């Protein structure tokens, strides 16, 4: 049971305070929290669950905004954190992003949302579709509409039908002139390559994202060509469990709009699409660096937005780096970023140069970790393939679209 | 309880300074209050927004209360919401003015629009003014019967709020029974879920005074009610599902078939998108199968994948919460996770508290088949930029070495650390090599060759220095320079700030003396002289003791100081298994994150805000500050009195510390202690001639030695010889004893700080 929620700006200012129970939480708790955050260097480093002298605090940081919840009683920590994450998601969805200004400009809406999302410390509704029906979004359309119609209320006149509906995630009866549904496979590859160049860990975290604009109460079935490769799956509440258990078929009545139908994990992949080979040799106070990048396993589509980032170890005084392709930047916080883009056909991109070490240091002892990012459109690297999507309960033939995308998640190469 | 005071936050230039603006607002609101001109709502809305934004940034705007209420006569729902918000915030401090709002709230409770009815009812119940409760009963009763589910949802929560304001009013109006009826009959699942929440709270609170309430509370856990909820669980919202799962976790099924039924029914909840639901389900499964060992194992296998997915899919905050639970399970059943060790590899970007948990799990899951990979991975972290993590990973390598049988490769790794020439790496590695040698004396040849090359000048940390000195003393035969290194260390006696190191130095030079007397004699003399002149009581006493023993008989002294040693087989675990079980019982709660059972932090909860601030503050630092090291002196003394009692709860409170680890255990001088036990017979004879051991001294080291003296009533902990061999018949279990031992008020505590 949460007692209070605060929203703090990135300078520790209380932007919003929502008391949830009779036990009022004094604002001074935020000062205490902020002191802790400052003493830790920055609030990101603070643990998500902290005990203050008077309360237990849960914190979630999004785009510099800290969502802080307080409680004095034992409760599942994940429930509080999960709820705060939902609050952050809903707000960012409503306000078109999160930052200090947008929250201050729309604080009334934030209050209204919190009012519906949690009552007396217990989470109520966090389903964006239902909230959207209760509290109108402050977007341009509604602003224009309010000017035209003269109705300036941002609260819809009617109560959401879905609160009483048996499909709580779906608005009662949406109508579209063009029925369309898009299914995206979005995958992230997490890989760790160790100092010896061995791929120690490589797995894919993927999501099936659906954007549905369908009239009425459609019933969808989605099947995969090779569901057996999935290691673990999690579903949106709309997915029926039995069909999946018996035939690995996703059968569901979709919410309206964009949502995450399913997330999955594929373990133990054998190779990565690109290789990154760093070499560091140090001698007499300088360190020679050479990083080579190339395609290892051609996925069949272009790999683009390749960037290599690494943080220079603190013992390095200066770095001089050049590349034969792309641009190298060294930022003030000692982060070095090499953006390659696409790998050219005729040559393998490489970056080389020297580090000058602190005086007194002969050799480098602390080695940088290279973080690689890339993006491949049109391919799901796990190999997961959508077999077909059937739609029932629809008046006319809808448009169906499929896409796939793989990008690097936590892809790191140690040196 | 006061509204946020103005002075709490220094007002920045962008913020209005208060007074002037507020009185401005007051007059503007007053003008608008009676107006019925078109467009008045828009200007009201701007003013309301201003008021609320002042309230939000912490300016006291309670003075406009009257005006706000006057302006509240409107049909605009946003205006209403802002007004409700304002009223809810200030009613409690202005109970008289709050009366003004009752009227319009009650009117709104009868509005045609269910949304307004609901909102008004919610605000009415949120006023929380004790003398207004009589106005609540009517609207609440109507709200519970409202045909809009939205209003009923609000009304049920309202009953709970009313209960907290005035329990008797709530019970007299027979609301609990109405809720019970609603809970079992309402068509809307959110209403049902809210009823469950409210009833659980009300009946738990009433149970102590009313027999009926405690019966009702039992009834909530009866089979029909639990099954009623479980069968409908899919219709509930995700948060309500957590609630139902929590209820089911308290239910005790009558037989195994029932357990399987429940688990089959709920298996799909493990694949829910909401992590809170997944974790609540896992808790239920673990609880249900506690008595069935084999099924319990299968549950572990089944929940492994969902947990690992939760860790990798969510935001860093979610991963942390899940990881803490995973940590608990891994520690309970490491072998089940041993093939998933790669999931515990640290990512570069992770915050260090996550890395720390992962390192502990990597250590736990290491077994014969994966040790090589894990140690290779851990060694890479030693070159990490994050120094605490680098240290932690070296310690992890050492821990693995201590729990494995085949340590061949690990020893090589550790020795490589020593050659890395990085201060902190060397320091950690030295401590580890020392522990390793205590367990595997057969490795001494290899280790000593490398340790011998380390210049003592490069070792500054007390712990590491003590370890190096211990090895110099223990293996002075094999290390050519040992006497000379010790000698140079003794020359710098005055610059050695750590008493622990000086104690070690004394003992080491003694041992060295027995092995290579001619080379060490000079150093020994210097050390004893320096020790006797030392201002630190322990150092002084030990020097005196050595001196007298030597004086008495050198061969007895050798048997006291340097007896043949047995290899240590197991280093004591810092957290007792009882505590671990307690935490496990509280799965899916804060206890898991803090790695402490809840009674350790929640019991102090209601004592008042600041009485326990110190302790709680320490809890919050969690892993960093071991409970043992921060115990204030007076508490230690108090505790000394019950040292001989078996484990009482009080002891456990200060017992566990999560950074304890095996490494701090041998930090006090093991040789001196073991010497004491083995030479007890001599000591009894020696007693009259050893004034350093007079019983009136309450220093722990003396207590320990004094234990063997039959004529002295022993004030010290536990029977002495068993405590050193940690045999199972000890009065205190070894973990508790070690805790106590560390908390004794001796200088050695400096070693840990």
């Amino acid at each position: 049971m949460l007692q209070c929620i605060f929203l703090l700006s990135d300078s520790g200012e209380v932007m919003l305070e929502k008391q949830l129970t009779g036990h009022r939480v004094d604002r001074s708790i935020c000062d205490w929290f902020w002191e802790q955050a400052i003493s830790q260097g920055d609030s990101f480093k603070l643990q998500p669950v902290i005990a203050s002298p008077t309360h237990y605090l849960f914190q979630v940081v999004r785009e510099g905004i800290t969502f802080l919840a307080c409680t004095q009683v034992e409760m599942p920590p994940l429930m509080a954190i999960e709820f705060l994450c939902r609050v952050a998601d809903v707000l960012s969805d409503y306000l078109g992003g999160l930052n200090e200004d947008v929250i201050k400009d729309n604080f009334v809406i934030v209050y209204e949302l919190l009012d519906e999302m949690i009552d007396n410390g217990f989470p109520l509704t966090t389903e964006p579709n239902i909230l959207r029906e209760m509290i109108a979004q402050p977007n341009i359309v509604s602003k224009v509409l309010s000017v035209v119609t003269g109705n300036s209320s941002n609260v819809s006149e009617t109560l959401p039908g879905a609160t009483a509906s048996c499909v709580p995630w779906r608005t009662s009866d949406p109508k579209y002139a063009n029925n369309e549904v898009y299914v995206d496979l979005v995958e992230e590859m997490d890989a760790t390559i160790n100092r010896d160049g061995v791929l120690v860990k490589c797995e894919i975290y993927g999501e099936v994202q659906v954007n549905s604009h369908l009239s009425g109460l459609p019933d969808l079935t989605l099947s995969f060509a090779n569901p057996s490769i999935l290691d673990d799956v999690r579903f949106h509440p709309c997915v029926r469990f039995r069909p999946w258990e018996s035939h690995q078929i996703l059968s569901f009545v979709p919410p309206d709009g964009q949502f995450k139908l399913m997330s999955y994990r594929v373990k133990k992949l054998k190779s990565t699409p690109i290789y990154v080979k760093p070499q560091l040799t140090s001698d007499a106070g300088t360190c020679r660096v050479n990083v080579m990048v190339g395609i290892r396993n051609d996925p069949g589509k272009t790999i683009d937005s390749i960037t290599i980032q690494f943080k220079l170890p603190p013992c390095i005084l200066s770095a001089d780096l050049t590349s034969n392709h792309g641009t190298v930047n060294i930022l003030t916080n000692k982060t070095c970023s090499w953006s390659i883009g696409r790998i050219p056909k005729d040559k393998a991109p490489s970056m080389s140069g020297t580090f000058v070490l602190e005086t007194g240091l002969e050799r480098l002892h602390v080695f940088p970790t290279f973080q690689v990012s890339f993006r491949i459109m049109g391919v799901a690297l796990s190999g997961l393939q959508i077999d077909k999507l059937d739609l029932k309960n629809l008046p006319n033939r809808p448009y169906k679209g499929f896409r796939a995308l793989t990008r690097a998640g936590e892809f790191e190469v140690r040196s | 309880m006061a509204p946020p005071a103005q002075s709490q936050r220094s007002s920045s230039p962008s913020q209005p300074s208060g007074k002037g603006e507020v009185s401005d607002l007051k007059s503007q609101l007053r003008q608008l209050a009676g107006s019925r001109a078109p467009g008045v709502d828009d200007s009201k809305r701007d003013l309301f927004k201003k008021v609320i934004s002042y309230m939000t940034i912490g300016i006291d705007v309670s003075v406009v209360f009257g005006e706000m209420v006057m302006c509240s006569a409107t049909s605009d729902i946003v205006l209403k919401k802002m007004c409700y918000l304002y009223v809810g915030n200030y009613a409690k401090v202005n109970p008289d003015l709050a009366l003004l709002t009752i009227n319009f709230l009650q009117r709104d409770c009868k509005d045609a629009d269910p949304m307004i009815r609901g909102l008004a009812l919610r605000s009415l119940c949120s006023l929380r003014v004790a003398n207004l409760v009589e106005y609540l009963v009517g609207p609440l009763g109507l709200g519970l019967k409202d045909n809009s589910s939205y209003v009923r949802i609000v009304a049920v929560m309202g009953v709970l709020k009313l209960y907290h304001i005035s329990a008797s009013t709530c019970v007299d109006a027979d609301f609990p029974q109405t809720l019970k009826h609603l809970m079992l009959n309402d068509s809307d699942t959110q209403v049902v879920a809210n009823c469950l929440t409210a009833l659980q709270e009300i009946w738990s609170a009433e149970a102590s005074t009313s027999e009926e309430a405690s019966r009702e509370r039992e009834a909530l856990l009866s089979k029909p009610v639990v099954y009623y909820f479980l069968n409908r669980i899919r219709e509930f919202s995700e948060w309500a599902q957590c609630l139902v799962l929590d209820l089911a976790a308290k239910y005790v099924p009558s037989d195994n078939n029932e357990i399987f039924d429940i688990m089959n029914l709920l298996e799909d909840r493990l694949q829910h998108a909401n992590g809170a639901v997944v974790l609540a389900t896992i808790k239920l499964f673990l609880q249900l199968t506690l008595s069935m060992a084999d099924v319990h194992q299968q549950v572990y296998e089944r929940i492994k994948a969902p947990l690992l997915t939760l860790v990798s899919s969510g935001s860093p905050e979610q991963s942390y919460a899940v990881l803490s639970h995973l940590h608990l399970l891994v520690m309970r059943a490491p072998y089940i996770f041993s093939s998933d060790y790669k999931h515990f590899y640290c990512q570069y970007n992770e915050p260090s508290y996550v890395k720390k948990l992962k390192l502990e799990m990597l250590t736990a899951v290491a077994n014969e088949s994966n040790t090589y990979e894990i140690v290779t991975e851990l060694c890479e972290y030693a070159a990490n930029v994050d120094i605490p993590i680098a240290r932690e990973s070296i310690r992890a390598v050492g821990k693995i070495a201590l729990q494995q049988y085949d340590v061949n490769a690990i020893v090589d790794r550790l020795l490589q650390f020593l050659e890395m020439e990085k201060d902190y790496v060397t320091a950690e590695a030295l401590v580890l090599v020392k522990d390793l040698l205590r367990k595997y004396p057969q490795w001494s040849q290899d280790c000593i060759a490398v340790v011998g090359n380390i210049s003592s000048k490069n070792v500054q940390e007390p712990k590491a220095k003590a370890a190096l000195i211990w090895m110099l003393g223990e293996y002075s035969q094999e290390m050519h320079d040992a006497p000379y290194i010790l000698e140079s260390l003794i020359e710098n006696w005055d610059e050695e700030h750590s008493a622990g190191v000086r104690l070690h130095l004394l003992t080491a030079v003694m041992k060295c003396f027995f092995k290579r007397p001619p080379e060490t004699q000079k150093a020994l003399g210097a050390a004893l002289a320096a020790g006797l002149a030392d201002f630190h009581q322990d150092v002084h006493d030990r020097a005196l003791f050595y001196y007298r023993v030597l004086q008495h008989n050198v061969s007895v002294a050798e048997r006291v100081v340097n007896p043949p040693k047995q290899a240590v087989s197991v280093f004591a675990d810092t957290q007792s298994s009882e505590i671990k079980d307690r935490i496990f019982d509280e799965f899916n709660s804060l206890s898991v994150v803090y790695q402490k059972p809840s009674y350790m932090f929640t019991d102090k909860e209601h004592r008042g805000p600041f009485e326990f601030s110190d302790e709680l503050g320490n809890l919050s630092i969690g892993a960093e500050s071991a409970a043992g090291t921060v115990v204030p002196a007076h508490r230690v003394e108090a505790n000394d009195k019950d040292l001989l009692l078996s484990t009482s709860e009080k002891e456990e409170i200060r017992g566990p510390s999560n950074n304890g680890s095996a490494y701090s255990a041998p930090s006090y001088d093991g040789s001196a202690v073991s010497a004491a036990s083995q030479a007890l017979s001599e000591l009894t004879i020696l007693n009259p001639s050893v004034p350093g051991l007079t019983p009136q001294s309450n220093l722990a080291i003396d207590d320990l030695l004094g234990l063997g003296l039959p004529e002295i009533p022993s004030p010290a902990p536990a029977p002495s010889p068993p405590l050193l061999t940690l045999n199972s018949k000890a009065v205190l279990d070894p973990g508790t004893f070690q805790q106590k031992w560390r908390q004794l008020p001796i200088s050695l505590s400096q070693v840990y700080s």
Side-chain angles (χ1 to χ4, degrees), chain B residues 497-723:
Chain B
H497 297 294
S498 159
V501 174
R502 298 203 297 272
L503 284 172
H504 272 283
L505 203 47
L506 270 178
T507 310
V509 78
M510 281 285 278
K511 288 184 198 163
C512 190
F513 171 74
F514 297 126
K515 288 167 188 156
R516 302 162 70 174
E519 289 158 289
T520 327
Q521 197 171 17
K522 189 173 148 229
L524 178 63
L528 288 178
L532 286 171
D534 204 282
F535 62 92
H536 196 278
Q537 193 70 56
D538 281 348
V539 181
H540 170 83
D541 288 358
R542 192 181 287 187
L544 194 61
F545 168 59
Y546 285 162
Y547 178 69
R548 297 265 159 87
V549 176
L550 283 172
Q551 228 176 9
H552 172 75
N553 184 339
V554 176
S555 68
V556 169
E558 178 165 11
R559 265 181 289 160
V560 171
V561 180
N562 195 27
K565 284 182 197 60
Q566 280 184 338
V568 180
S569 56
V570 181
F571 284 97
D573 200 344
T574 42
Q575 212 171 31
S576 80
S577 58
E578 191 194 345
I579 293 209
K580 283 180 187 162
D581 285 347
R582 283 249 199 172
I583 300 177
F584 181 72
D585 290 341
E586 291 171 11
F587 194 86
N588 199 20
S589 71
L590 288 168
S591 319
V592 181
V593 177
Y594 293 132
Q595 301 184 2
K596 288 181 177 65
S598 62
Y599 69 82
M600 288 192 187
F601 49 95
T602 49
D603 282 357
K604 292 156 192 151
E605 189 92 16
H606 307 290
R607 268 198 226 155
F610 291 108
E611 260 183 51
F612 59 100
S613 59
D614 282 352
E615 289 147 83
L616 221 52
N618 291 329
L619 286 182
S620 71
I621 317 299
E624 289 308 317
S625 69
T629 64
V630 293
V631 176
H634 65 274
R635 294 193 55 182
V636 173
E637 275 163 26
N639 193 53
D640 274 349
K641 292 183 191 113
D642 55 44
L643 270 176
L644 284 168
L645 301 176
S646 59
T647 48
S648 70
E649 220 165 61
K650 188 176 167 197
E651 288 161 14
E652 288 165 25
I653 288 175
R654 302 168 312 100
S657 67
N658 34 16
N659 89 338
S661 83
Y663 305 100
S664 38
S667 299
Y668 50 83
D669 194 336
S671 63
V673 174
S674 54
S677 73
Q678 300 206 356
L680 281 174
S681 52
E682 274 93 347
L683 279 172
T684 44
I685 309 159
L686 279 171
N687 180 38
S689 65
V690 184
L693 295 179
T694 43
Q696 57 264 38
S697 164
N698 66 351
L699 288 167
I701 193 86
D702 292 338
D703 283 350
L704 261 183
L705 295 169
L707 266 179
L709 309 174
E711 63 272 11
I712 299 164
S714 164
S720 172
L723 72 87

Side-chain angles (χ1 to χ4, degrees), chain A residues 184-187 299-304 375-385 402-407:
Chain A
D184 292 350
L185 290 181
V186 181
E187 299 195 334
K301 304 267 178 182
T302 359
I303 308 175
D304 58 15
R375 196 181 58 174
I376 312 169
M377 302 290 285
V379 172
L381 275 184
S382 67
L384 186 69
Q385 280 176 341
F402 300 98
R403 281 185 303 188
L405 164 73
T406 303
R407 56 175 174 247

Side-chain angles (χ1 to χ4, degrees), chain A residues 109-224:
Chain A
I109 291 190
V110 180
Y111 275 125
E112 286 179 62
L113 282 170
L114 283 177
D115 219 23
E116 298 300 340
M117 290 175 83
I118 187 164
D119 191 9
N120 207 26
F122 295 100
L124 275 181
T125 314
T126 46
E127 200 55 59
N129 280 304
I130 298 178
L131 290 170
R132 221 170 279 139
E133 278 188 62
M134 291 202 246
I135 298 145
Q137 260 173 299
N139 55 16
I140 297 160
V141 181
S142 71
K143 269 183 194 149
V144 172
L145 213 70
S146 71
V147 170
V148 175
T149 59
N151 174 11
S152 49
S153 161
N154 66 343
V155 174
S156 56
E157 294 298 309
T158 51
L159 259 182
T163 46
S165 141
C166 59
V167 203
W169 52 85
R170 191 169 173 85
T171 48
S172 39
D173 199 15
K175 286 194 174 53
Y176 292 100
N178 297 322
N179 279 310
E180 46 192 19
V181 55
Y182 298 93
V183 181
D184 292 350
L185 290 181
V186 181
E187 299 195 334
E188 275 187 9
M189 177 177 256
D190 295 336
T192 308
I193 292 152
N194 78 0
R195 199 158 292 151
D196 307 326
V198 180
L199 183 65
V200 290
K201 177 183 159 186
C202 182
E203 62 173 38
I204 283 202
Y205 170 76
E207 289 180 357
V208 181
Q209 294 177 353
V210 178
N211 195 354
S212 111
H213 296 285
L214 301 168
S215 314
L217 208 64
D219 205 321
L220 277 64
T221 9
L222 179 70
S223 57
F224 298 107

Side-chain angles (χ1 to χ4, degrees), chain B residues 132-144:
Chain B
L132 298 184
V133 285
E134 53 194 293
Y135 301 100
L136 280 181
V137 177
L140 270 180
L142 289 177
L144 290 173

Side-chain angles (χ1 to χ4, degrees), chain A residues 1 12-18 20-22 24 26-28 30-31 44-54 56 58-62 72-79 81-83 85-86 107-108 111-112 115-116 119-120 122-124 126-127 134-135 152-155 157 159 163-164 192 194-196 200-201 203 205 231-237 241-242 245 265 267 311 314 363 365-367 369 371 410 412 414, chain B residues 1-2 4 8-9 15 42 45 49 52-53 55-58 77-78 81-82 85 89 92 113-115 119 122 128 148 150 153 157 160-161 188 190 194 197 201 234 237-239 242 267-268 271-276 279 305-306 308-310 312-313 315 317-318 320-322 325 340 342-343 345-349 353 377 380-381 383-385 420-422 424 586 588-591 593-594 598 601 605 609 612-613 616 620:
Chain A
M1 189 177 83
E13 181 196 351
V14 182
M15 296 192 291
L16 207 118
E17 168 185 345
K18 173 86 186 152
L20 303 169
T21 65
R24 218 192 151 80
D26 195 84
R27 205 172 257 230
S28 55
C30 297
D31 298 334
F44 176 71
K45 286 196 191 132
L46 216 53
Q47 299 194 0
V49 185
I50 338 165
S52 84
T54 49
Y56 305 103
F58 303 94
Q59 60 130 359
V60 164
V61 185
R62 291 283 179 283
Q72 276 180 312
V73 292
E74 178 76 271
M75 70 176 289
L78 192 61
M79 188 166 164
I81 289 174
E82 189 92 44
F83 176 74
C85 290
R86 294 292 174 86
F107 65 89
V108 175
Y111 275 125
E112 286 179 62
D115 219 23
E116 298 300 340
D119 191 9
N120 207 26
F122 295 100
L124 275 181
T126 46
E127 200 55 59
M134 291 202 246
I135 298 145
S152 49
S153 161
N154 66 343
V155 174
E157 294 298 309
L159 259 182
T163 46
T192 308
N194 78 0
R195 199 158 292 151
D196 307 326
V200 290
K201 177 183 159 186
E203 62 173 38
Y205 170 76
D231 273 308
D232 184 48
V233 284
R234 290 212 287 153
F235 302 117
H236 189 274
F241 182 58
R242 297 294 163 207
E245 198 184 29
R265 209 155 42 87
K267 285 194 291 190
K311 197 140 184 161
R363 291 186 294 143
H365 290 295
V366 176
F367 301 104
T369 299
Q371 291 174 292
E410 294 285 340
E412 51 184 54
R414 303 193 191 125
Chain B
M1 290 300 154
Q8 275 176 2
R9 208 156 268 284
Q15 291 174 358
D42 282 342
R45 196 182 278 196
K49 260 191 184 168
I52 305 250
S53 73
M55 188 177 94
T56 300
I57 56 179
I77 194 162
V78 176
K81 281 189 177 182
M82 287 199 269
L85 180 70
N89 214 4
K92 197 152 186 177
D113 184 346
M115 191 149 204
L119 286 170
R122 184 180 292 160
R128 302 180 206 277
S148 160
Y150 182 80
I153 291 171
M157 267 306 160
L160 184 57
K161 289 175 191 167
D188 187 282
Q190 191 62 53
N194 280 6
T197 315
E201 221 172 305
R234 284 184 196 83
S237 82
E238 45 201 316
W239 309 107
C242 296
E267 200 191 352
D268 58 338
Q271 279 160 343
H272 199 280
N274 187 325
L279 218 53
L308 293 173
T309 308
L310 270 180
S312 55
S313 63
S315 65
E317 295 90 358
Q318 286 158 308
Y320 172 69
V322 180
H325 288 86
D340 302 283
K342 281 187 179 171
H343 283 281
Y345 282 6
C346 299
Q347 303 278 344
Y348 178 74
N349 275 340
Y353 52 80
E377 179 76 9
E380 300 219 332
Y381 304 150
N384 200 301
V385 187
M420 263 175 73
E421 292 170 32
K422 198 98 185 124
Y424 57 88
E586 291 171 11
N588 199 20
S589 71
L590 288 168
S591 319
V593 177
Y594 293 132
S598 62
F601 49 95
E605 189 92 16
F612 59 100
S613 59
L616 221 52
S620 71

Side-chain angles (χ1 to χ4, degrees), chain B residues 330-629:
Chain B
V330 168
M331 293 302 162
R332 267 182 87 86
Y335 47 93
I336 288 176
F337 294 88
S338 57
S339 57
D340 302 283
Y341 61 94
K342 281 187 179 171
H343 283 281
F344 310 134
Y345 282 6
C346 299
Q347 303 278 344
Y348 178 74
N349 275 340
E350 282 164 344
S352 46
Y353 52 80
V354 169
K355 286 185 184 161
K356 218 171 152 178
L357 280 182
K358 285 191 165 178
L359 285 177
E360 282 174 27
M361 291 194 271
L362 272 179
T363 318
V365 300
N367 63 9
E368 280 111 62
S369 60
N370 58 22
T371 297
Y372 181 77
E373 279 87 6
I374 291 180
V375 171
T376 310
E377 179 76 9
L378 285 172
C379 290
E380 300 219 332
Y381 304 150
N384 200 301
V385 187
D386 188 350
I387 292 175
I389 290 305
R391 280 173 182 275
E392 203 70 42
S393 50
I394 298 172
R395 274 180 224 153
V397 173
K399 265 190 213 179
I400 293 176
L402 291 178
Q403 70 196 22
Q404 297 289 313
Y405 301 99
D406 176 29
V407 287
N408 206 335
I410 306 181
V411 172
D412 285 348
R413 300 275 188 180
L414 278 179
L415 296 180
Q416 277 171 20
F417 285 147
L418 286 178
E419 286 160 354
M420 263 175 73
E421 292 170 32
K422 198 98 185 124
D423 292 349
Y424 57 88
V425 177
T426 315
E428 290 296 340
L430 272 177
V431 176
L432 285 182
V433 170
K434 181 200 69 178
D435 286 339
L436 213 58
L437 286 179
R438 291 179 64 206
K439 186 165 179 185
Y440 309 104
Q442 65 269 31
W443 290 104
S444 58
Q445 293 256 308
D446 305 71
C447 297
I448 292 312
V450 182
V451 172
N453 292 334
I454 294 170
S455 159
S456 59
K457 289 184 188 70
N458 293 344
V459 183
Q460 289 309 327
E461 289 173 37
K463 247 175 141 174
K465 213 166 182 175
L468 179 63
I469 292 171
W470 183 84
M471 285 186 275
L472 285 170
E474 196 64 35
Y475 298 96
S476 39
Q477 204 73 276
E478 291 85 355
M479 291 160 98
H480 288 299
D481 299 339
Y484 310 106
I485 299 174
L486 287 173
E487 194 173 336
S488 70
L489 284 168
I490 291 163
E491 276 168 23
N492 297 326
W493 185 275
D494 293 335
E495 285 146 44
E496 186 50 63
H497 297 294
S498 159
V501 174
R502 298 203 297 272
L503 284 172
H504 272 283
L505 203 47
L506 270 178
T507 310
V509 78
M510 281 285 278
K511 288 184 198 163
C512 190
F513 171 74
F514 297 126
K515 288 167 188 156
R516 302 162 70 174
E519 289 158 289
T520 327
Q521 197 171 17
K522 189 173 148 229
L524 178 63
L528 288 178
L532 286 171
D534 204 282
F535 62 92
H536 196 278
Q537 193 70 56
D538 281 348
V539 181
H540 170 83
D541 288 358
R542 192 181 287 187
L544 194 61
F545 168 59
Y546 285 162
Y547 178 69
R548 297 265 159 87
V549 176
L550 283 172
Q551 228 176 9
H552 172 75
N553 184 339
V554 176
S555 68
V556 169
E558 178 165 11
R559 265 181 289 160
V560 171
V561 180
N562 195 27
K565 284 182 197 60
Q566 280 184 338
V568 180
S569 56
V570 181
F571 284 97
D573 200 344
T574 42
Q575 212 171 31
S576 80
S577 58
E578 191 194 345
I579 293 209
K580 283 180 187 162
D581 285 347
R582 283 249 199 172
I583 300 177
F584 181 72
D585 290 341
E586 291 171 11
F587 194 86
N588 199 20
S589 71
L590 288 168
S591 319
V592 181
V593 177
Y594 293 132
Q595 301 184 2
K596 288 181 177 65
S598 62
Y599 69 82
M600 288 192 187
F601 49 95
T602 49
D603 282 357
K604 292 156 192 151
E605 189 92 16
H606 307 290
R607 268 198 226 155
F610 291 108
E611 260 183 51
F612 59 100
S613 59
D614 282 352
E615 289 147 83
L616 221 52
N618 291 329
L619 286 182
S620 71
I621 317 299
E624 289 308 317
S625 69
T629 64

